[in-house]
Amino acid sequence: MPTLLHIDSSALSEGSVSREVSAAYREAWEAANPGGTVIYRDLAAEPVPHLDAAGITSAFAPAEHRSPEQQAAWALREQLVTELEQADAVVIGTPMYNFTIPSALKAWLDQVIVIGRSAGEQPSAAGTPVTVVASRGGAYGPGTPRESFEFVTTYLEKVLTGMLGLEVDFVVPEFTLARVNPALAGFAEQADASKAQALVDATARAEAVGSRVAA
């Protein structure tokens, strides 16, 4: 049966727009695949460790020559890469923190990018559809004053497609801080509209992907 890999990375457990929209995606995907499996990773609640020397060298050392530290590090990388390889679809929820992705998501990416396996000339999960829910407190789209400060979609597009060979779409709710930051209060209606559209877009994408993998 089809498998969805669902990843959240917002530090907020409540009030997170990226979590809300990724959950809408998951709900629609499950409706399209009632017998499917969901692998869920909350990288804020249960963060994966940042890549260290043991993790880096474990990918290049023959299995029989790995130290105990390398063996433990590789066991985690193997698990995370296998989850990605087994997924028929992926949804990633990520807010913008200081113009880029949370470090928890960067840690996961560093663990799953294994040159010669998941990354390289023939990535092992190539072609898997990935929907990234990239929320941000303000507006960073084309033509906005802060367009050049946007390092979430620009970075993830390069990593997910260029290195992992995945098929990536973005759903981008903006002005998510409009109702909590007085400086953005004038954009509250735009925030509501952007969130509503993101929910529609995520649901539509999940339905399309869910129907495709179920066929």
Side-chain angles (χ1 to χ4, degrees):
M1 297 301 294
T3 297
L4 172 68
L5 176 58
H6 178 186
I7 296 171
D8 276 325
S9 60
S10 173
L12 300 177
S13 58
E14 296 183 5
S16 167
V17 174
S18 66
R19 286 180 181 273
E20 183 177 349
V21 177
S22 73
Y25 179 103
R26 173 176 172 170
E27 182 179 350
W29 189 91
E30 289 179 314
N33 295 276
T37 299
V38 176
I39 299 171
Y40 181 60
R41 282 198 171 270
D42 186 335
L43 298 178
E46 298 183 12
V48 300
H50 287 278
L51 194 60
D52 59 10
I56 293 172
T57 57
S58 69
F60 302 99
E64 64 274 17
H65 293 156
R66 288 177 184 144
S67 68
E69 293 77 14
Q70 288 174 322
Q71 291 174 8
W74 179 251
L76 173 62
R77 299 194 75 183
E78 171 74 24
Q79 178 184 0
L80 296 174
V81 173
T82 299
E83 289 176 355
L84 177 62
E85 292 170 339
Q86 292 178 341
D88 297 285
V90 181
V91 60
I92 300 173
T94 177
M96 174 188 281
Y97 289 164
N98 301 316
F99 309 128
T100 190
I101 63 174
S103 63
L105 179 56
K106 180 61 164 59
W108 178 83
L109 286 167
D110 288 341
Q111 294 284 4
V112 300
I113 295 172
V114 179
I115 303 300
R117 179 172 170 179
S118 61
E121 293 184 2
Q122 295 182 314
S124 54
T128 302
V130 178
T131 301
V132 177
V133 179
S135 64
R136 51 248 201 144
Y140 295 81
T144 61
R146 289 203 164 186
E147 178 182 358
S148 65
F149 288 76
E150 204 283 328
F151 299 104
V152 174
T153 62
T154 50
Y155 169 72
L156 289 176
E157 193 278 330
K158 295 296 187 295
V159 171
L160 296 175
T161 63
M163 295 192 73
L164 296 173
L166 306 173
E167 176 191 295
V168 182
D169 280 305
F170 290 95
V171 175
V172 185
E174 294 194 311
F175 288 118
T176 60
L177 293 178
R179 294 198 175 276
V180 296
N181 184 346
L184 296 174
F187 298 100
E189 291 186 3
Q190 288 174 252
D192 293 343
S194 182
K195 176 181 171 181
Q197 186 61 54
L199 289 167
V200 170
D201 293 344
T203 298
R205 176 64 178 163
E207 291 172 346
V209 171
S211 297
R212 189 173 97 189
V213 301

